[in-house]
Structure formats: structure tokens, C-alpha cells
Amino acid sequence: MSNQQQQLQSLLSRLGFAKILRIEAIQTLWSGCGEIVRIHLDDAKISSIIIKNIDLSATKNHPRGWNTDRSHLRKVKSYEVEQEWYSKWANQCDTCCRIPKCYFSTNKEAQQLILLEDLNPSGYPKRRESLEINEAKTVLKWLANFHAIFMNSTPDKLWEVGTYWHLSTRPDEWKEMTESKLKSKALEIDQLLTNCQFKTIVHGDAKVANFCFSNDYMSVAAVDFQYVGGGCGMKDVAYFLGSCLSENECERHETELLDYYFEQFTIALSNKQSNLDAKLIEKEWRRLFPLAWADFTRFLVGWSPSHRKLNNYSEKMSEQALNLLD
């Protein structure tokens, strides 16, 4: 056993976990800043745990070349936010918006360690890159409950504005955009979303890859809370749908999926915060849906102008948003 594994075994023993049987690599973190591993344990009750090991002193190699001080500082804050999320906020989530339990976290200089429940043996072993419409509804129900729980919450020590693409943290990508109406109206779109009347806490990176499904895809849990913060729930919804459906599916099922989200949101809000008027929130957020889509499109145009998500539907939604501004 290596020295690093001995240190890890010592930590796990102090936390009451069993002996390490083996360590399985799951993925390298973005820009090579650490890794996520599965620790298999000699324990019938908790057979495995997940460890997110962040090393911000590691060599930075951004996959798309955005190696800047701003990018690095954003990443540093994102891991601080995630640790704060698990320490102070995560316990407010219930079974309707399932997330992994956090067993332990520590942060020393550029090193951070988070020990999490392994969702696979807990009943969420499936991962997907795309979804059928009914499967997408499972995630929309999760988002609706998540947003309902955190309506009117002040994002203390989270991102003041959730999502990793919001304009104030992405001036470099904005500058790279060619001149267009979307570029000139970017600040106005951002301000309308940021200053909406009804705010919640958004997941901030609600792509399909960050959801773990049950075998029948009827229930789901979410991971990766680096960009959780305040904002309009439509930012999560638009980003999620674009991550898991084709442009034709988005076009055909837009009304059906939004109707379903707000139906679930209304039910969740009546159970969790019955003093709030779901109809008023829905009225504002439906109007902001195309703006949320245009906001993410603005980021993609500057960040990766050949990205597959820049398609006819995203162009249509951006035009719709710009027409609303007019």
C-alpha cells in the first residue's frame, strides 16, 4: 500500500469506515485538477464511497485553451462553494431532490478532499448522455423540487449568481464573440435574469451527465455542486434540456416539458413553501425561458463557436429572446 493510500486508510478508519479493498478511478477533474475515485470497502453495509480529491496546485491544461488567471480563480472558488454547499446547505434537500450524503470534507491550501455517498449501491447506478422525453421529465421533477425548496433563499457563501457561464465571470468569452445583436444585448439579458423578482438556488451545472438514475429511470439524484447559487430556475431547465435532447426534440416537446416542470413545481411549492404564489412565479419564469437559453448560447458562441449545441433551436430561442427585448 502506497503512502497516500495509507494516509487515506488512516482517515477512513478515524471516520469509522472499514478497510480499503481496492481503489477504482472514475474520472479526472476538469483541467486536470485532481480526480474522482471509488473506494471499495470491506463492509457489507457501506460497500463503497466516492472521494473527490481536488489539487489546485496541479498542472493546468484547459481542454479548450482558456488557461487564464480568471479561469483559475473561478475554479478555486467553485470548489470552495461546493464544500460550503455540502457543509451548510445540502441537508435541506429531501428525497424528492436526492443528492449524495457528505461524510467528510477538508480544505488545506490548494488541497481539498470530499468523501461522498456512492450513489450506485444506493439505487442510482445508471448514467446517460441523452434521454427519452419521459426520462427527461424525471430530472425536471428533481429540478422543480430543488427550486421549490430554495425559493427566496439568500445564497450565503455560494455563488451570488449561480451557473458557470454567467456574464460577470465570462468577460473573456464575451470579447471573443463577433459583433452581433446577441453580443450587444448580453448585459441586458443577464440583468433581466439576475434581477428577476422570483429567485431560487440553481444547481448551476444541471447537465444530464451530473444526474444518476435508478434502473427504471423513474428516480434520480444529482451530483457536482461547484456552481450552485442564486438565480432564475429557468437557467437550470434550459441548460438541462439542451444537454440531453436533440434540437428537434427540444422544438417538438418544449411546451410539454415546460408544462410538466411547472406542474411539478406547483405541487412542490404547495408542499414546501405554501405561502408563495406558484402562478406568479410561473408567469415570470416562462417569459424568461428564452432569455435563459440565449444567455447560455451567448457563452457558447464566445467559448466554442463550433459547439454542437449551437444549432437551429438555440438560434431560434436567441432570436425569440432578442425580440422580447425589443
Side-chain angles (χ1 to χ4, degrees):
M1 184 180 286
S2 68
N3 184 53
Q4 185 179 21
Q5 288 183 16
Q6 288 177 345
Q7 292 177 346
L8 182 57
Q9 180 64 76
S10 177
L11 171 61
L12 293 179
S13 297
R14 292 199 304 272
L15 294 172
F17 289 102
K19 179 183 176 181
I20 295 174
L21 292 178
R22 63 186 176 93
I23 299 177
E24 172 192 353
I26 297 177
Q27 69 180 72
T28 300
L29 296 178
W30 191 257
S31 297
C33 296
E35 62 179 345
I36 300 176
V37 300
R38 174 175 287 112
I39 307 296
H40 294 270
L41 302 169
D42 186 15
D43 189 323
K45 292 183 179 179
I46 300 179
S47 59
S48 57
I49 61 171
I50 300 296
I51 293 185
K52 191 170 186 176
N53 183 19
I54 301 105
D55 181 4
L56 291 168
S57 67
T59 301
K60 313 303 182 298
N61 182 25
H62 194 286
R64 297 185 186 271
W66 294 95
N67 298 311
T68 64
D69 289 341
R70 180 181 284 112
S71 173
H72 180 66
L73 291 173
R74 183 173 58 244
K75 196 174 287 86
V76 170
K77 180 173 179 179
S78 78
Y79 289 118
E80 292 172 350
V81 164
E82 185 169 41
Q83 191 168 42
E84 185 69 20
W85 164 259
Y86 281 117
S87 298
K88 304 287 177 60
W89 291 80
N91 61 0
Q92 297 182 57
C93 292
D94 59 21
T95 55
C96 293
C97 50
R98 182 77 155 81
I99 65 173
K101 301 181 184 76
C102 181
Y103 299 121
F104 175 79
S105 67
T106 183
N107 190 354
K108 292 183 179 179
E109 298 177 350
Q111 305 288 325
Q112 184 177 332
L113 199 69
I114 305 177
L115 275 64
L116 297 166
E117 172 190 8
D118 185 356
L119 290 168
N120 281 8
S122 296
Y124 302 93
K126 298 294 185 180
R127 310 290 184 271
R128 292 287 287 275
E129 294 182 0
S130 62
L131 296 173
E132 301 296 330
I133 298 304
N134 285 337
E135 296 166 351
K137 287 181 178 180
T138 302
V139 177
L140 289 176
K141 184 176 181 179
W142 188 99
L143 289 171
N145 278 271
F146 185 83
H147 295 153
I149 286 175
F150 294 106
M151 282 301 303
N152 290 341
S153 296
T154 301
D156 183 39
K157 295 186 179 179
L158 304 178
W159 290 95
E160 183 179 354
V161 179
T163 69
Y164 66 83
W165 63 85
H166 68 269
L167 187 60
S168 63
T169 65
R170 295 292 184 168
D172 298 327
E173 291 83 350
W174 179 84
K175 289 177 183 177
E176 287 296 313
M177 295 175 70
T178 57
E179 293 304 320
S180 66
K181 192 172 181 180
L182 182 59
K183 182 175 182 178
S184 65
K185 294 289 187 179
L187 179 59
E188 188 174 350
I189 291 171
D190 175 77
Q191 288 178 335
L192 285 168
L193 290 166
T194 300
N195 298 323
C196 64
Q197 180 180 356
F198 299 105
K199 297 186 184 68
T200 186
I201 301 296
V202 295
H203 178 285
D205 193 6
K207 61 189 175 187
V208 65
N210 284 333
F211 289 92
C212 307
F213 296 85
S214 60
N215 282 313
D216 61 4
Y217 294 94
M218 296 299 291
S219 58
V220 68
V223 298
D224 197 347
F225 289 89
Q226 290 174 227
Y227 293 95
V228 62
C232 170
M234 290 296 95
K235 296 172 79 174
D236 274 344
V237 172
Y239 179 61
F240 164 67
L241 293 178
S243 79
C244 68
L245 301 178
S246 70
E247 57 181 306
N248 290 332
E249 289 170 326
C250 288
E251 179 87 45
R252 283 200 312 272
H253 298 284
E254 175 188 317
T255 300
E256 175 189 352
L257 292 168
L258 278 179
D259 286 350
Y260 181 79
Y261 167 84
F262 282 114
E263 173 189 310
Q264 295 302 316
F265 178 78
T266 299
I267 294 169
L269 200 67
S270 68
N271 292 331
K272 303 174 196 307
Q273 299 203 56
S274 58
N275 59 311
L276 298 178
D277 189 333
K279 292 297 182 186
L280 287 177
I281 300 169
E282 178 179 349
K283 182 179 180 181
E284 181 187 45
W285 283 9
R286 276 188 184 269
R287 182 174 59 84
L288 292 174
F289 178 69
L291 277 78
W293 205 292
D295 187 56
F296 182 63
T297 299
R298 175 266 310 157
F299 162 70
L300 281 184
V301 169
W303 185 67
S304 180
S306 61
H307 200 285
R308 64 176 182 80
K309 292 181 184 177
L310 293 172
N311 52 43
N312 290 332
Y313 183 75
S314 63
E315 183 177 342
K316 172 196 166 185
M317 296 302 287
S318 297
E319 289 177 359
Q320 188 175 330
L322 293 169
N323 289 337
L324 285 172
L325 299 184
D326 291 338

